[in-house]
Amino acid sequence: MKFIILPLFTIHLFFSNLKAQELPKLILPNGIEWNLLKEGKEISFLLAIENKGASNYFFKIKDGQNYGMKIDSIGNFSWTPPYSLVERLENPKIYPVIFEAKNDSTNESITTKVDFKIIHVNQKPIVNELKPFYIQYNTNNVYKIDSDFLIDLDNDPVVVLPSIETLPEGMKISSQGEITWTPSLTQFNKLKAGNNIFIDFLVEDQPAKTQTKGRLKIEATQLDLPPSIVLIPYENVFYLKENRKLNLRFYLTDPNGDEDIQLFDFIADNEQIRKNSLIKNTSNQYEFSWQPDFNFVKDPLDSAVVMIDFFALDKTQRRAVKSIKIVVKNEINEAENDLKYYYLYKSSLQKGWELMEQMREKETELKKSYNRAKKGKKSRSIVNASLGATTSLSSVFVPVASKQRLISTIGGTTVLTIGTLEATEVIGKSMKDIMDRLNYIVEKKNEIQTKGDIFSRDFSLKSARRSADYIRKVDDFMGAMNLKGLIVLDLDAAWEPKVKPTNGNIKKIFKDFVVE
């Protein structure tokens, strides 16, 4: 076995290089169990780089992003874990997140993994507005609090507890929410005279035992009382954005019996709200579902208001009305804008491709004219000079060595070959003019090629085309395709390319062109 002994300075240099190549590390918050979070409670911190000189790093969440997580490019992270992350009887649940810091100048990236432990937080029960309890005399009146009006977002079981101070004599409330009462004549007469009673009760969830107070109105039943409309959620004004759906639920009751309800409908002040938006589930349960499109709010307005009256009629034409207001806010149609911006991106590059093709054909034509100009005088120009019976000719048929000699012809005519003529003209066109146009075309092609490559690369992504200076860059690129010598170049305004401007043909000229 052989051993190789390296010099000490070699070993030191090796480890020094390793140390120099180490990337800086991400700095996370200090503290014990800082990553232990509760539902509904916000956490925020700043990701930092161990090497303070690494100022070119930009931060993002590489993997594991959950609803509500936000991080900006300089590392500010915030998150409020929603209440739906952990089940009520579940142990702390782990949500791994991978953070990345990337250096745009060196394309180096640093990643670190954080395991967020989420603890379930109990929420109080919710008690919606209850329909009144209508009392009849000499009858054991029974009222069951509908479970649809008692909501626990954690799906905890709930019990109903009476508030003894507000209960009238003889009334009982069970833990399941069933209320029974047989009023005395005095009690009933007070109700009939308009002295309505409000009783309080508590809704308690299990096993957390958090409580929410509810209230129920007690009234005396009379003949031909109007129906009652209960709206869930219990609001009068609703706010939503274009292309978002609004869902409402309606529960109808009638003191004379639910079978007495004859009609439930609505009237809106906007004809875009169709009648089929109201869906009947049962004779006393309805749903209203409506979604305004992106064109609902007309420019330049930023919102539109809709008023809707929901009404219920019983068999005696007694009416109950529930009025709501819907405020619809203008929303940008990102998909439509992205498509419009892409067509602008493609059409600009297509225009550049077509102009490049047209100039390429014109360049070929001018090169042929230039070549004819170089030798055209020798083959086409004949100079005749008459002096008595003498004629002088210059001809390409005379060898080069025979130039400046006299050639005798029949009839005593003398032919003189002139060798000093230069090919400077071709039927009225100057070689200098041809060269100027050739040089201009070459320069313009190079300019369009350079600017087209930059334009196709800079705006190949949707996010780049959404930037504020995108339209200005389009104008700059289109301005580069204006030819100052359009007339002098004899370019045909009705010119059409010999091949179609397909995506593949455009990509052959502008390599970074993206097809979507």
Side-chain angles (χ1 to χ4, degrees), residues 368-400:
K368 291 180 180 179
S369 298
Y370 178 75
N371 290 332
R372 286 198 302 269
K374 291 177 67 176
K375 56 185 177 181
K377 195 65 177 183
K378 301 175 183 179
S379 60
R380 299 179 184 178
S381 297
I382 298 177
V383 178
N384 293 323
S386 178
L387 181 58
T390 303
T391 302
S392 62
L393 300 174
S394 72
S395 173
V396 294
F397 299 104
V398 180
V400 175

Side-chain angles (χ1 to χ4, degrees), residues 355-371:
L355 187 55
M356 291 280 284
E357 287 291 310
Q358 189 176 10
M359 287 195 297
R360 187 177 289 110
E361 291 182 9
K362 193 64 180 179
E363 182 182 11
T364 303
E365 178 186 335
L366 288 174
K367 284 181 178 180
K368 291 180 180 179
S369 298
Y370 178 75
N371 290 332

Side-chain angles (χ1 to χ4, degrees), residues 207-235:
K209 299 189 180 301
T210 56
Q211 297 178 344
T212 300
K213 185 177 180 180
R215 170 170 279 200
L216 178 65
K217 184 179 181 180
I218 311 296
E219 294 182 1
T221 298
Q222 300 178 10
L223 294 177
D224 298 332
L225 287 175
S228 175
I229 302 174
V230 177
L231 170 63
I232 298 178
Y234 182 70
E235 299 288 346

